[in-house]
Amino acid sequence: MYSKSKTFRKQLEFCELVNYDKIFIYSIKYGLVKLDDIIEPYDLTLGNTTVMSPNIASTEHVEMVSNSVSKTLNELNGRVHFHTSTNYYNTTKNKLKCVHKHIPQQRQTTQAGTAYQQAIDEYKNSGDIKKSFSLISYKPKMNRPKEQSQTWYHPTLGTFFGKHTDLVNEYPNINLGTAYKVVMWNMGIPVGKSPTPHVKG
């Protein structure tokens, strides 16, 4: 199910290129998945719910999965690189006894895929893994207009006035990334695919 993602394919290409001894997929449902494991498709997310994946993993489930992941990685007794979002890394890092490093990811999947392609090209040319990591994680500063408070509308929650961070603080189940996309699109700055419109004013 992961191979449908262009970003995943680029991540895998990079990991195979730099010749990691072992490669696992960090699944919030199954824990560490080997590349040749066959799993049932699932719709579960870590963190806030989203329009695409409304099913959020329970605290108990996340704890169980992170315990299993950390146990397996500690038993490997090697250096571990996490090519994951910060959420996945944070669930596990404090339980790890092995040497570990997080490779921060781009927020948008299209940007992440482009960053990994740049890292692939760099490693092929120079063999410099640190430089390749920096390309994966590099986030250019963008001169964006300052967000103004606005009126948000939801068919069941009603109206709310404030910035997107205020909205998420008031309603924790609203996805921060989706709210941010709405702000950017309203400013005329397309970020990813157009989010479901739920802002007026």
Side-chain angles (χ1 to χ4, degrees):
M1 67 181 273
Y2 302 105
S3 60
K4 294 179 180 179
S5 165
K6 182 178 179 181
T7 297
F8 170 78
R9 294 197 300 270
K10 290 298 177 183
Q11 288 174 316
L12 179 58
E13 183 180 350
F14 176 80
C15 291
E16 290 178 334
L17 177 66
V18 300
N19 201 26
Y20 284 120
D21 292 332
K22 294 180 183 294
I23 301 174
F24 296 101
I25 300 167
Y26 195 154
S27 162
I28 196 55
K29 181 171 179 65
Y30 298 108
L32 292 182
V33 178
K34 296 178 182 178
L35 295 179
D36 57 356
D37 284 346
I38 298 175
I39 60 174
E40 291 291 328
Y42 63 92
D43 182 14
L44 194 65
T45 186
L46 175 63
N48 292 331
T49 58
T50 67
V51 174
M52 296 301 294
S53 181
N55 300 317
I56 187 169
S58 68
T59 302
E60 293 77 13
H61 180 80
V62 172
E63 182 70 11
M64 178 188 71
V65 169
S66 63
N67 284 339
S68 171
V69 168
S70 59
K71 181 176 183 294
T72 299
L73 295 178
N74 286 332
E75 288 174 350
L76 291 176
N77 195 28
R79 182 184 296 271
V80 178
H81 288 168
F82 282 79
H83 290 262
T84 66
S85 68
T86 303
N87 278 355
Y88 280 79
Y89 178 62
N90 285 346
T91 62
T92 310
K93 66 178 182 180
N94 293 330
K95 301 174 182 179
L96 293 173
K97 298 176 183 178
C98 58
V99 178
H100 54 92
K101 176 182 177 64
H102 181 225
I103 317 300
Q105 306 291 292
Q106 303 290 332
R107 284 190 175 187
Q108 304 301 319
T109 54
T110 53
Q111 294 173 349
T114 299
Y116 270 93
Q117 183 59 61
Q118 292 172 342
I120 289 166
D121 294 339
E122 175 61 39
Y123 192 79
K124 285 181 177 178
N125 290 331
S126 70
D128 189 332
I129 195 167
K130 289 184 178 180
K131 203 168 182 179
S132 299
F133 284 163
S134 68
L135 289 171
I136 293 169
S137 304
Y138 176 68
K139 295 180 175 63
K141 292 183 179 180
M142 301 181 69
N143 294 323
R144 291 175 172 169
K146 187 175 181 180
E147 178 186 358
Q148 303 295 323
S149 295
Q150 57 191 334
T151 300
W152 300 73
Y153 172 76
H154 190 277
T156 57
L157 299 177
T159 59
F160 179 86
F161 184 78
K163 298 180 180 180
H164 79 286
T165 49
D166 302 324
L167 177 73
V168 175
N169 286 335
E170 182 70 18
Y171 301 102
N173 284 336
I174 292 178
N175 180 261
L176 180 64
T178 301
Y180 174 77
K181 285 183 182 180
V182 170
V183 172
M184 292 295 101
W185 275 82
N186 283 353
M187 290 181 178
I189 305 171
V191 177
K193 294 181 180 179
S194 177
T196 302
H198 54 284
V199 179
K200 69 176 182 179

